[in-house]
Amino acid sequence: MIRPVMASDAADICKIYNEYVLNTCISFEESAVTIEDMLARIANITQLYPWLVDEADGKVIGYIYASQWKGRSAYRYSVEAGYYIRLDLTGKGIGTRLMAEFLRALRATSIHSVICGIALPNPASIALCKRFGFEQVALFREVGFKMNRWIDVG
């Protein structure tokens, strides 16, 4: 069931996100995020943008949110999408369901552009974004350093 995020989802969201933080180069954070940190992020983001979760059996199994693309005023109609699916459930259509509902929610706002920055390689995220009409418009070479290697972002 896809629904708006609630504060009570913070622990499940941390569990999902911290798997990526600690075990992959998909997130450029390098330290686990606390529940308090996640609660602050949820409160901050949901003041202006949608944050949706997919819930099954009372647990969050994936989520997607919009955040401000850049701080300058002229960027106010552009957002960056962030999405994470429980690692043991990737490839089961959760991301597709979340992205479809997320884009529907954004169409009801003044948002004009959605940007997905993808740490490479990440064929699953690339496929998801292409499925919804996103195009690669840039390649930022070696802009992140994590797990003792340089990482490109597309």
Side-chain angles (χ1 to χ4, degrees):
M1 170 182 73
I2 296 176
R3 59 168 175 75
V5 70
M6 299 183 297
S8 59
D9 298 323
D12 286 346
I13 289 171
C14 276
K15 187 173 182 180
I16 292 168
Y17 184 58
N18 286 333
E19 283 290 315
Y20 286 90
V21 169
L22 299 174
N23 300 306
T24 77
C25 292
I26 290 173
S27 167
F28 279 10
E29 289 197 69
E30 296 181 281
S31 300
V33 175
T34 66
I35 293 172
E36 293 76 21
D37 289 338
M38 192 58 70
L39 283 167
R41 291 177 189 194
I42 291 168
N44 183 46
I45 287 171
T46 56
Q47 288 180 43
L48 296 173
Y49 305 114
W51 184 319
L52 303 174
V53 300
D54 194 347
E55 177 186 44
D57 300 322
K59 295 282 187 189
V60 174
I61 58 173
Y63 64 95
I64 189 167
Y65 62 92
S67 60
Q68 184 177 12
W69 169 239
K70 298 267 187 189
R72 304 255 190 320
S73 176
Y75 290 116
R76 68 188 172 277
Y77 300 110
S78 299
V79 295
E80 183 172 8
Y83 50 90
Y84 295 89
I85 310 304
R86 227 174 66 187
L87 281 171
D88 63 325
L89 295 176
T90 59
K92 300 190 182 310
I94 297 165
T96 299
R97 290 193 310 268
L98 279 166
M99 184 66 79
E101 190 60 34
F102 175 72
L103 293 175
R104 267 193 291 278
L106 285 176
R107 282 188 202 100
T109 73
S110 60
I111 297 303
H112 178 74
S113 294
V114 180
I115 297 154
C116 295
I118 301 172
L120 302 174
N122 190 333
S125 280
I126 291 169
L128 174 65
C129 290
K130 283 185 177 182
R131 188 174 301 122
F132 286 93
F134 288 83
E135 303 172 35
Q136 182 171 345
V137 296
L139 176 62
F140 299 100
R141 294 194 184 277
E142 298 183 352
V143 294
F145 188 82
K146 185 175 177 184
M147 297 182 166
N148 208 31
R149 70 178 181 95
W150 289 104
I151 304 157
D152 297 342
V153 172

